[in-house]
């Protein structure tokens, strides 16, 4: 009870801070803290902001890139305009939206991808966590080929089954992949950010992170069915 009160108090404090500072969402402070610690966006960068609504991360990205950079935000929901930012409304996993993103960067390679994407939560935690991991994997599959060598990638993920697997799939693509929880993240939340720095040239372009992750989940499902057949309880209904 006391913990819940403390969390809600903390959230309100960040919300108030966001309102006073002109940022649209308290999540802006998460990216500011990530930026301060890891310097993921540089002046003049081309930045893709995935899951951009209402636009807090886009505001921070515009400040970081300055007048020689470019920020493109994508979300299912429309965002109020931000000067020096282009917004695309659409589902990032769909071809039509992906073509609009490529067009918005005029076929240039992107320097930094920041993704705070989060699916609509159903309340079924294990299901939500897997859907979120699959969404993140799709974002990697689409956007990694657009990220320039040396580029950086930040993404929110929810802790749970498959996280180590996803990290292992990402690791060979970057010099460093670290987990980070900014202070502005909720205490009680299991969200964590993956900070991937220095994109490495990748020869095996045909591999799909989403397919590899799904193979992992399929394997788990079979294991659990087997256990049930042997008299154990089935832990997950997927
Ligand atoms: C936590 S919010 C992002 C907040 C944002 N970073 C900010 O600072 O204002 C997550 C967003 O992901 C978006 N989203 C979820 N699934 C998506 C999809 N398939 N394509 C594009 N956006 C998606 C949601 O609409 C939601 O606005």
């Amino acid at each position: 009870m006391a913990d819940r009160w403390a969390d809600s108090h903390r959230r309100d404090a960040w919300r108030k801070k966001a309102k006073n500072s002109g940022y649209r969402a308290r999540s802006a402070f998460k990216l500011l803290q990530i930026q301060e610690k890891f310097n993921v966006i540089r002046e003049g960068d081309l930045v893709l902001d995935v899951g951009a609504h209402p636009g807090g991360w886009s505001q921070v990205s515009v400040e970081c890139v300055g007048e020689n950079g470019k920020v493109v935000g994508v979300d299912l929901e429309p965002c109020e305009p931000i000067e020096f930012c282009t917004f695309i409304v659409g589902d990032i996993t769909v071809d039509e939206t992906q073509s609009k993103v490529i067009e918005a960067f005029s076929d240039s390679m992107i320097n930094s991808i920041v993704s705070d994407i989060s699916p609509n939560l159903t309340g079924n935690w294990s299901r939500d966590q897997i859907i979120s991991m699959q969404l993140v994997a799709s974002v990697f599959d689409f956007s990694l080929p657009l990220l320039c060598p040396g580029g950086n990638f930040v993404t929110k993920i929810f802790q749970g089954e498959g996280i180590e697997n996803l990290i292992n799939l990402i690791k060979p693509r970057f010099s460093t992949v670290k987990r980070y929880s900014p202070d502005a993240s909720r205490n009680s939340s299991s969200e964590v950010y993956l900070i991937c720095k220095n994109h490495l040239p990748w020869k095996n372009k045909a591999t799909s992170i989403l397919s590899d992750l799904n193979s992992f989940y399929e394997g788990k499902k079979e294991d659990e069915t087997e256990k049930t057949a042997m008299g154990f309880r089935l832990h997950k209904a997927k």
Side-chain angles (χ1 to χ4, degrees):
M1 189 72 180
D3 278 358
R4 228 183 296 155
W5 182 86
D7 280 352
S8 135
H9 188 70
R10 204 174 133 94
R11 270 201 303 275
D12 286 348
W14 282 110
R15 241 178 242 131
K16 212 176 270 172
K17 206 171 163 188
K19 206 168 164 196
N20 293 339
S21 63
Y23 290 123
R24 293 174 179 186
R26 72 183 174 88
S27 47
F29 292 100
K30 300 179 196 172
L31 185 58
L32 280 172
Q33 286 171 3
I34 290 168
Q35 175 66 5
E36 195 176 298
K37 193 163 168 66
F38 297 99
N39 193 29
V40 286
I41 303 172
R42 289 152 293 204
E43 213 183 321
D45 271 358
L46 305 189
V47 178
L48 173 62
D49 177 11
V50 184
H53 180 269
W57 279 32
S58 295
Q59 287 177 299
V60 172
S61 300
V62 164
E63 287 169 8
C64 295
V65 301
E67 57 188 26
N68 295 322
K70 180 174 186 131
V71 178
V72 175
V74 190
D75 203 289
L76 298 167
E77 303 284 332
C79 297
E80 290 295 320
I82 293 174
E83 211 178 355
F84 308 115
C85 180
T86 304
F87 283 118
I88 295 167
V89 182
D91 182 339
I92 190 70
T93 63
V94 162
D95 284 352
E96 193 189 342
T97 313
Q98 297 179 348
S99 303
K100 285 182 187 167
V101 170
I102 293 166
E103 204 179 305
F105 285 107
S106 317
D107 290 325
S108 299
M109 296 208 92
I110 302 169
N111 304 103
S112 302
I113 298 167
V114 292
S115 172
D116 197 21
I117 200 164
S118 179
N120 268 340
L121 302 179
T122 65
N124 176 338
W125 168 245
S126 56
R127 194 176 147 74
D128 287 343
Q129 195 263 343
I130 290 175
I131 292 172
S132 148
M133 296 284 279
Q134 289 170 325
L135 196 53
V136 169
S138 312
V139 173
F140 271 118
D141 276 346
F142 159 61
S143 59
L144 274 184
L146 309 178
L147 186 64
C148 68
N152 301 322
F153 200 122
V154 172
T155 184
K156 171 157 73 191
I157 47 170
F158 292 102
Q159 311 246 40
E161 203 160 54
I163 189 169
E164 298 300 336
N165 205 269
L166 181 73
I167 292 173
N168 285 336
L169 292 169
I170 300 306
K171 267 185 175 166
R173 316 287 187 103
F174 292 90
S175 290
T176 58
V177 175
K178 288 185 179 153
R179 276 183 247 199
Y180 177 64
S181 283
D183 286 345
S185 275
R186 294 169 204 187
N187 241 356
S188 57
S189 160
S190 62
E191 78 178 20
V192 68
Y193 289 84
L194 281 191
I195 316 291
C196 314
K197 290 203 71 175
N198 191 24
H199 186 218
L200 303 168
W202 180 254
K203 291 191 188 80
N204 196 356
K205 289 200 165 67
T207 57
S208 156
I209 290 167
L210 179 60
S211 308
D212 288 351
L213 187 70
N214 281 340
S215 304
F216 165 77
Y217 286 132
E218 281 303 313
K220 291 295 285 183
K221 210 155 96 182
E222 274 160 29
D223 278 359
E224 282 167 14
T225 312
E226 208 171 296
K227 277 184 207 160
T228 314
M230 285 159 54
F232 292 98
R233 191 166 63 87
L234 182 66
H235 292 288
K236 257 186 197 93
K238 285 178 217 158

